[in-house]
Amino acid sequence: MMQSLEPQAGGFNFNNCSRNSVLESGLSELGFKPPTARKTGTTIAGVVYKDGVILGADTRATDDMVVADKNCMKIHYIAPKIYCCGAGVAADAEITTQIMASNVELHMLNTGRPPLVAMVTRQLKQMLFRYQGHVGSSLIVGGVDVTGPHLYSVYPHGSYDKLPFLTMGSGAAAAVSVFEDRFKPKMELEEAKQLVRDAIAAGIFCDLGSGSNVDLCVITEGGVDFLRGYDKPTEKGQRGGQYRYKPGTTPVLTKTVTPLTLDVVDESVQTMEST
Amino acid sequence: MAAAASMMPNFGQQISSKNDLVPDWTRQEVSTGTTIMAVEYDGGVVIGADSRTTTGAYIANRVTDKLTPIHDRIFCCRSGSAADTQAIADVVAYQLGFHSIELDEPPLVETAANLFRASCYRYREELMAGILVAGWDRRKGGQVYCVPIGGMLVRQPVSVGGSGSTYIYGFMDSNYKPGLSKDQCLELTAAALSLAMERDGSSGGVVRLASISEEGVERRVILGNQLPKFSTH
């Protein structure tokens, strides 16, 4: 199998430019317009701050060209103080987190101990590695356990990273740029919430695949604050004025009435079936 | 897009995916396209790695730790697929820990290397993992074992790996001499990694170094602005 021996091709890939130009010229010949952008994807992010972890996500779920859910929940419960944001294939992310939640509950009962974020991450990555990337869920696991606040990202093929701030999904590049600019270790709560909100908003506005509202989940030693709909940056604004003018705004100077004489040329009746 | 795909002949590109507008890198496997290096000296080993993990053209983690402890005095340097190498390292760490408890003594570096080789060779078709195993044990002192893609095992006094290694074979061949001291090895490794990171797009970030000897493990990080500079502009 030659696949594993192929060298890694990195850098920018411009192969699609020639394909696009051929497609566009070919399509216009046949009378079709080139396809417009379709929205799919997600922006999820997480940050470790002074007292714990803040997870954030956008709320748009798409089904090819249509927004299937304008306000879906991408932050899933795993344990009382461990939550998980899911990107990638929606069904895979949902089911994977549910399986994890169930395993964690059993583990807690078996060991008599509250779960560690590292334990959740290990189970996740072992399961995803077993499926060799076919379970297409990218997850950000964040929570507080006896050892402190932790944040992990887990990729569909089963690799993980442990970092103080993370973004995933199609809007990850937009969101991580906000983090790279303004992240500081041990931020205060309000500052950290604003930062995560701004990162998700960057994904909502700058990524075609994300939209609607910002959900936040603040996890600390004391408990969880699930802020559903923390910010709604895409809400339609209030119209400032009116384009409707009152009758009489424009004075009438002259009035000419021209009746149009119309003759009936043809009359036909078509009965409709109505049951 | 579906109409277009049926009209035009297949260019051998992936027009098939319906989620074409999700960026390519979200669907690529995470790889540690990387530069790793390990050097033996009298009394121990020095290992080093860059810190870049990529998914396609996007850097997923710019401060990765590719020097993974397998046991108290045995480390591995990982290159290739991040998922594969993390999984293999976990398996070997478990096996080695179990073996060490059975023997009731610290394990040999050669044992660890053979455990890596066993997994990498058996599953060679499914895995993409290039690993350097390095450490210290009482029997043979500092040792470096190279387990490249395919599952070969060979001991070498100095070894480099990863996509960036191709750029520094010449530097390594001309600058390595047997009998270097620990500090000289650290300097050599830092210099070699900086050169590779300068030229290889898939390597970058910071340089992580570790020295392993009987006394223990010393780790350090060299940040981007502190890297040795070479004048080629």
Side-chain angles (χ1 to χ4, degrees), chain A residues 3-18:
Chain A
Q3 213 173 338
S4 58
L5 295 175
E6 256 175 37
Q8 187 75 10
F12 290 99
N13 187 334
F14 294 103
N15 290 345
N16 285 342
C17 294
S18 49

Side-chain angles (χ1 to χ4, degrees), chain B:
Chain B
M1 208 61 180
S6 57
M7 292 288 175
M8 305 304 293
N10 192 348
F11 288 93
Q13 304 286 352
Q14 284 170 317
I15 316 182
S16 53
S17 168
K18 278 201 284 189
N19 291 349
D20 233 0
L21 276 329
V22 175
D24 213 20
W25 53 260
T26 57
R27 281 173 287 135
Q28 299 234 9
E29 189 173 337
V30 178
S31 139
T32 50
T34 191
T35 315
I36 49 176
M37 180 162 164
V39 189
E40 285 175 18
Y41 67 91
D42 184 23
V45 292
V46 162
I47 54 176
D50 74 305
S51 69
R52 181 170 290 183
T53 315
T54 51
T55 36
Y58 180 70
I59 299 173
N61 188 351
R62 59 180 170 82
V63 285
T64 326
D65 186 7
K66 302 180 192 180
L67 308 175
T68 309
I70 302 295
H71 206 266
D72 294 342
R73 300 278 188 284
I74 306 175
F75 269 62
C76 75
C77 310
R78 300 181 291 110
S79 74
S81 155
D84 290 349
T85 53
Q86 282 174 0
I88 298 170
D90 280 351
V91 162
V92 172
Y94 162 76
Q95 291 172 329
L96 199 66
F98 194 91
H99 169 75
S100 168
I101 287 174
E102 283 182 320
L103 259 50
D104 196 23
E105 64 179 49
L108 301 175
V109 188
E110 192 173 351
T111 311
N114 271 290
L115 286 170
F116 270 106
R117 192 259 312 141
S119 293
C120 291
Y121 183 72
R122 177 175 285 244
Y123 297 106
R124 56 182 298 165
E125 303 301 332
E126 286 81 26
L127 294 172
M128 186 160 84
I131 296 175
L132 297 178
V133 187
W136 179 93
D137 63 43
R138 249 169 46 117
R139 203 181 285 185
K140 293 184 188 169
Q143 300 145 71
V144 170
Y145 292 89
C146 183
V147 183
I149 292 174
M152 177 184 85
L153 172 62
V154 70
R155 180 182 171 183
Q156 293 177 309
V158 60
S159 193
V160 294
S163 57
S165 67
T166 54
Y167 302 102
I168 51 172
Y169 279 113
F171 177 82
M172 204 185 68
D173 289 337
S174 58
N175 287 72
Y176 172 76
K177 296 171 277 295
L180 292 172
S181 73
K182 180 175 93 166
D183 290 319
Q184 286 172 319
C185 287
L186 285 164
E187 270 173 36
L188 178 71
T189 309
L193 290 171
S194 311
L195 287 167
M197 280 154 58
E198 188 70 33
R199 286 293 178 178
D200 179 29
S202 306
S203 304
V206 304
V207 167
R208 292 196 188 272
L209 294 170
S211 69
I212 310 169
S213 63
E214 182 174 6
E215 284 78 54
V217 177
E218 267 175 49
R219 301 203 58 161
R220 73 191 71 171
V221 181
I222 306 182
L223 300 180
N225 57 349
Q226 298 159 349
L227 288 171
K229 292 185 190 12
F230 300 90
S231 57
T232 38
H233 28 243

